[in-house]
Amino acid sequence: MAGETNEDIKAMSFEQALDALEKIVDDLERGDVPLDQSIRIYERGEALKAHCDRLLKAAEDKVEKIRLSRDGKPVGTEPLDAD
């Protein structure tokens, strides 16, 4: 991870970012990473989490649920979170 910046995160898919985040968590949980590297990969983990959050929010915004009429026929869509 030496010399790595977080610029590459912007191009990652949700799955790629999640895999990278899981590896960071595993590395930190093992506890055998030097302190300076732990800080660096923790900060990268924060950037990965933020990226995953943005991608997930964008996906949720695209999801719609189908509205049904009283007789059960589709009549359109509405945002997933609308009540």
Side-chain angles (χ1 to χ4, degrees):
M1 258 187 220
E4 243 182 62
T5 66
N6 293 336
E7 288 301 311
D8 63 320
I9 293 173
K10 294 176 186 174
M12 289 183 176
S13 69
F14 178 82
E15 292 78 8
Q16 291 170 324
L18 191 58
D19 286 345
L21 185 55
E22 288 173 350
K23 183 182 180 328
I24 286 173
V25 170
D26 290 343
D27 290 348
L28 291 173
E29 284 180 344
R30 257 195 346 262
D32 59 356
V33 180
L35 180 60
D36 61 328
Q37 186 179 355
S38 292
I39 293 168
R40 206 168 45 250
I41 65 175
Y42 178 85
E43 289 170 347
R44 182 167 173 82
E46 286 291 317
L48 286 162
K49 179 189 175 297
H51 181 64
C52 285
D53 287 345
R54 280 190 301 276
L55 291 174
L56 189 58
K57 175 73 172 118
E60 287 173 347
D61 288 345
K62 291 179 183 177
V63 175
E64 297 178 326
K65 65 180 176 183
I66 298 172
R67 288 184 305 157
L68 301 177
S69 65
R70 290 184 185 258
D71 58 354
K73 295 185 180 171
V75 293
T77 61
E78 62 187 49
L80 185 61
D81 292 335
D83 289 321

